[in-house]
Amino acid sequence: MGKLKLVLIISVLLNLVEGSRIINKTRRDPRPFPKGFLFGTSTAAYQIEGGWDADGKSESVWDHLTHNNPCRIKDCSNGDIADDSYHLYKRDVEMMRELGLDFYRFSLSWTRILPTSFPDKINEAGIQYYNNLIDEMLKYNIEPMITLYHWDLPQKLQEMGGWTNPHVVDWFADYARIAFEHFGDRVKYWITINEPREVCYQGYGSATNAPAISITGYAEYLCAKNLLVAHAKAYRIYDKEFREKYDGTVGISLSAGWIEPEAEKDTQAAFDAIQFEWGQYAHPIFSETGDFPPIMKERIAAKSAEQGFYRSRLPEFTSDEIEMIRGSSDFFGLNHYSSSILYKNESTAGIFEQPSFYDDIGAASYQLDEWPVAASSWLKQVPWGFYKLLVFIKEQYNNPTVMITENGFSTSTGLQDDARINYYREYLDAMLDAIDEGCNVSGYTAWSLMDNFEWMAGYTELFGLYEVDYNSPERTRMPRKSAFVYKEIIRSRQLDYHYEPNTNEMTIDEGK
Ligand SMILES: *[C@@H]1O[C@H](CO)[C@@H](O)[C@H](O)[C@H]1NC(C)=O
Ligand SMILES: *[C@@H]1O[C@H](CO)[C@@H](O)[C@H](O)[C@H]1NC(C)=O
Ligand SMILES: *[C@@H]1O[C@H](CO)[C@@H](O)[C@H](O)[C@H]1NC(C)=O
């Protein structure tokens, strides 16, 4: 064969490979993650710890709700014992080692550390528990990432209005300072608050989260304002008092779904709905101008006036607050699960009660039946939505560093969880597309390390890489097939659709 001919053939072959990489996604060549990209898993205190009144811990809003109204939870269960991580944390760390995690995200229980809610009494047993967990992780080079608040407000503070009382700013700031003081020497990744939208809308607007209040169109907006100021105050405390000595990073985790316009004419409506759904938390922190998104301020003010209110149902920030909140996050913590399609026309005006958050949005959304669904009915698999969301965040907020702080898929019991594996692969692939597009994503956190108490769904929707046996007093944890797949992704630092794990034995790879 002539030399020229061979070169030609090789270049045609290379073109085919290159072309199919882009055009034919079903080929699925192994795909590396960027250098320095971090992998973790996530949990939250109430969902795993148990020990709800152990060693001086007092009642949170979730203890209160589940004890006083058990069947608000789908299976009438609670987190009294949950995964019993209060006693089994060493096994949890062993699982982190089996997976080869770079970091582990967990939350602190406010009432375990401060049983009176306030700094007047610090519970040494609570501090000791978290010290033990942190030290056990550090022994094996697993970085702790602490969420200060993952939904378990002290019940006492709720009795004083909780997140709708502006004094919550100081209550939260005091608690944050105590956590920084006790753990900041060893913990470099901090998240102030997990999913403000769920705290405020679900907790105070739609009663689908503790404290289960439904004063929509009003209470969730008070909550949003106070929560953002509280977050920023905690961030500024770290800046002033701890950053120099500890050199950590502090951010917030926002839950954000992608909202796709049904048709061209719905583009503006979808953009506006995003501003209401999670832009209300992102815009004050990550935009150049700060404050609530303009569309929210305008629309809620106008509707409030029409409805006979004397002032907007959306409270205003002072200019000092706007400045304090603007830029108050070292990274954009992103919790993402699913997407929806939105339209707006004459029929969508007046379908929601007035006033309400959804009436203020004034559009309707839905998901497609053809999207694969998890055990959670709201969780449909739409990987391209993840891609579009990441590109949107890059464009809206000047390409912030994004840390994926949650992403995952629920199933029922069973170790063969191919649906979860497929979800993880598709979403990681979409994330890599976004990175190729220039999005600055620094790490990925799978929700969740293990099955746990899934809030209003109790133990009926399971998100674990490890299955937990709730019938055994030992709460035995067993790796699902997805745990082996995630382990290989972390070990090889690449996404390989063709990898088939040997699920016989989970081991710890030494030398990490
Ligand atoms: C894409 O690749 C898959 C797997 O190699 C193959 O089955 C399929 O026919 C290819 N599709 C196209 C359009 O080339
Ligand atoms: C509004 O849009 C929805 C979804 O496309 C459609 O089903 C409905 O017929 C429309 N209604 C009006 C009044 O245009
Ligand atoms: C991405 O984020 C990292 C960490 O914050 C930063 O060092 C880097 O400069 C960023 N890259 C771009 C392209 O913005």
Side-chain angles (χ1 to χ4, degrees):
M1 210 183 321
K3 205 170 177 185
L4 187 64
K5 226 173 176 179
L6 185 64
V7 168
L8 266 175
I9 288 170
I10 288 172
S11 85
V12 166
L13 281 174
L14 282 176
N15 277 335
L16 280 176
V17 171
E18 193 52 35
S20 59
R21 174 85 202 88
I22 295 154
I23 297 158
N24 188 355
K25 272 219 135 192
T26 54
R27 272 188 55 96
R28 308 293 193 188
D29 298 327
R31 216 176 163 182
F33 292 92
K35 261 206 170 55
F37 192 85
L38 300 173
F39 289 98
T41 64
S42 186
T43 60
Y46 185 72
Q47 294 178 278
I48 66 162
E49 283 179 3
W52 80 272
D53 63 349
D55 305 329
K57 180 182 170 296
S58 71
E59 196 185 35
S60 76
V61 290
W62 276 96
D63 296 315
H64 189 82
L65 177 76
T66 55
H67 292 162
N68 292 282
N69 231 326
C71 291
R72 288 296 292 272
I73 310 303
K74 195 165 165 191
D75 54 4
C76 307
S77 65
N78 58 50
D80 286 3
I81 302 173
D83 297 354
D84 200 20
S85 287
Y86 189 62
H87 299 106
L88 300 174
Y89 69 90
K90 284 195 176 171
R91 170 63 180 135
D92 295 348
V93 175
E94 188 176 67
M95 286 142 60
M96 299 169 206
R97 297 172 64 206
E98 289 170 354
L99 292 170
L101 301 185
D102 299 312
F103 68 94
Y104 173 61
R105 173 178 179 242
F106 63 99
S107 80
L108 306 181
S109 158
W110 188 332
T111 57
R112 197 181 293 293
I113 293 173
L114 302 178
T116 69
S117 314
F118 304 114
D120 59 321
K121 214 171 143 221
I122 298 176
N123 182 20
E124 284 311 319
I127 299 287
Q128 192 59 50
Y129 169 66
Y130 294 114
N131 276 337
N132 290 345
L133 172 61
I134 291 164
D135 293 344
E136 182 75 5
M137 289 166 57
L138 289 175
K139 212 194 297 183
Y140 302 108
N141 296 320
I142 298 158
E143 285 283 341
M145 176 186 280
I146 286 186
T147 307
L148 290 169
Y149 183 79
H150 200 127
W151 302 5
D152 44 356
L153 190 75
Q155 174 61 20
K156 184 195 286 183
L157 300 185
Q158 182 49 42
E159 282 160 19
M160 295 192 282
W163 288 104
T164 65
N165 184 337
H167 290 285
V168 74
V169 171
D170 287 331
W171 303 335
F172 180 73
D174 293 347
Y175 161 58
R177 181 184 279 110
I178 285 166
F180 295 147
E181 275 168 358
H182 283 84
F183 310 118
D185 58 336
R186 288 153 293 153
V187 175
K188 304 302 166 194
Y189 294 99
W190 293 90
I191 287 157
T192 55
I193 293 167
N194 181 70
E195 299 189 349
R197 180 195 174 277
E198 281 61 27
V199 173
C200 293
Y201 175 66
Q202 295 195 349
Y204 296 87
S206 69
T208 49
N209 202 337
I213 287 164
S214 50
I215 309 178
T216 185
Y218 208 100
E220 70 272 67
Y221 296 138
L222 303 184
C223 170
K225 177 189 172 178
N226 297 330
L227 183 151
L228 282 160
V229 180
H231 150 80
K233 189 154 185 182
Y235 180 87
R236 301 300 168 195
I237 285 172
Y238 190 88
D239 245 6
K240 256 194 224 101
E241 301 171 26
F242 301 94
R243 194 182 289 279
E244 207 177 318
K245 102 179 126 165
Y246 294 148
D247 196 28
T249 56
V250 184
I252 189 166
S253 286
L254 307 184
S255 61
W258 175 248
I259 302 174
E260 177 75 8
E262 184 183 75
E264 187 97 27
K265 68 165 179 58
D266 302 307
T267 308
Q268 186 64 44
F271 179 85
D272 293 349
I274 285 175
Q275 301 308 314
F276 274 82
E277 286 281 4
W278 55 267
Q280 79 169 281
Y281 304 101
H283 193 277
I285 299 172
F286 297 100
S287 74
E288 241 158 70
T289 50
D291 201 354
F292 284 126
I295 182 69
M296 271 189 86
K297 294 173 63 174
E298 287 157 22
R299 191 177 295 163
I300 298 171
K303 283 202 170 234
S304 300
E306 267 169 42
Q307 289 159 348
F309 288 87
Y310 285 9
R311 65 193 70 82
S312 179
R313 289 178 279 104
L314 182 69
E316 287 178 12
F317 291 115
T318 65
S319 50
D320 284 350
E321 287 167 342
I322 291 173
E323 278 317 298
M324 176 164 76
I325 297 166
R326 203 166 61 93
S328 63
S329 199
D330 300 327
F331 55 89
F332 191 124
L334 175 63
N335 293 5
H336 175 74
Y337 289 90
S338 196
S339 295
S340 57
I341 293 176
L342 179 136
Y343 66 93
K344 180 173 185 161
N345 57 24
E346 305 88 87
S347 80
T348 58
I351 51 176
F352 301 101
E353 63 172 308
Q354 289 185 35
S356 71
F357 177 62
Y358 280 98
D359 182 65
D360 290 339
I361 296 179
S365 60
Y366 59 92
Q367 296 178 308
L368 293 181
D369 290 339
E370 69 212 51
W371 293 341
V373 64
S376 317
S377 58
W378 54 269
L379 208 180
K380 302 269 176 70
Q381 182 173 324
V382 195
W384 54 262
F386 192 23
Y387 168 81
K388 287 195 172 188
L389 173 68
L390 287 166
V391 172
F392 182 90
I393 289 170
K394 168 182 160 232
E395 286 168 359
Q396 284 295 306
Y397 308 116
N398 193 27
N399 203 7
T401 298
V402 174
M403 168 61 96
I404 310 300
T405 42
E406 284 183 27
N407 180 239
F409 194 78
S410 57
T411 60
S412 51
T413 53
L415 299 179
Q416 287 296 317
D417 57 343
D418 291 288
R420 176 177 290 107
I421 292 168
N422 188 256
Y423 179 96
Y424 277 129
R425 283 175 170 162
E426 293 283 339
Y427 274 66
L428 285 169
D429 204 27
M431 185 191 75
L432 285 170
D433 288 344
I435 291 172
D436 284 352
E437 205 64 33
C439 296
N440 201 353
V441 186
S442 63
Y444 178 88
T445 319
W447 182 276
S448 177
L449 174 63
M450 59 188 156
D451 294 342
N452 53 57
F453 178 80
E454 180 53 23
W455 312 113
M456 291 300 197
Y459 299 99
T460 66
E461 299 171 14
L462 306 172
F463 280 87
L465 293 168
Y466 283 71
E467 179 163 275
V468 176
D469 179 1
Y470 292 103
N471 295 316
S472 85
E474 294 81 31
R475 294 294 191 271
T476 311
R477 290 107 155 97
M478 290 283 287
R480 291 204 169 96
K481 187 175 171 186
S482 58
F484 292 88
V485 169
Y486 195 48
K487 177 189 173 90
E488 176 63 12
I489 286 170
I490 298 172
R491 190 202 63 77
S492 66
R493 304 275 153 181
Q494 66 174 18
L495 176 64
D496 180 1
Y497 271 84
H498 303 297
Y499 174 71
E500 260 302 313
N502 172 351
T503 56
N504 290 339
E505 200 192 352
M506 183 55 100
T507 55
I508 294 170
D509 301 328
E510 300 296 344
K512 216 200 118 255

